[in-house]
Amino acid sequence: ARTTPSSGMFIWLENDKVDAAELFNTALSKAQVAFLPGFVFSVGPVRLKPNSIRLNFSYCSPENIREGIARLGRLIND
């Protein structure tokens, strides 16, 4: 399901095609894109799905956000 953020600094992404921990290293090394795997925000015995990604959009320009999302999308589709 797609959502449009109405406030905040982060957007949550879940994609069944990826393991966020594996994608993290590839995104940094091959595409120079950073994000945080969602599971690092789990507390206690509840574990978030390994396919969750937390994206920050509070610092980058709209152009850099579009480019970063395009790069991340290409990695996910590969």
Side-chain angles (χ1 to χ4, degrees):
R2 289 185 173 185
T3 60
T4 302
S6 60
S7 64
M9 301 184 300
F10 303 96
I11 194 164
W12 193 259
L13 170 68
E14 290 183 5
N15 185 312
D16 291 332
K17 291 183 174 183
V18 301
D19 179 306
E22 291 179 16
L23 182 62
F24 176 75
N25 291 323
T26 304
L28 282 177
S29 64
K30 290 188 177 180
Q32 292 75 50
V33 174
F35 63 84
L36 288 174
F39 68 84
V40 301
F41 299 97
S42 293
V43 189
V46 175
R47 297 298 293 169
L48 295 172
K49 296 182 212 174
N51 68 339
S52 57
I53 295 171
R54 185 177 176 184
L55 301 169
N56 180 297
F57 59 88
S58 65
Y59 180 74
C60 295
S61 68
E63 295 80 20
N64 285 345
I65 291 170
R66 282 189 286 277
E67 178 62 27
I69 293 299
R71 291 180 188 184
L72 193 56
R74 286 191 294 271
L75 287 176
I76 291 170
N77 287 323
D78 285 348

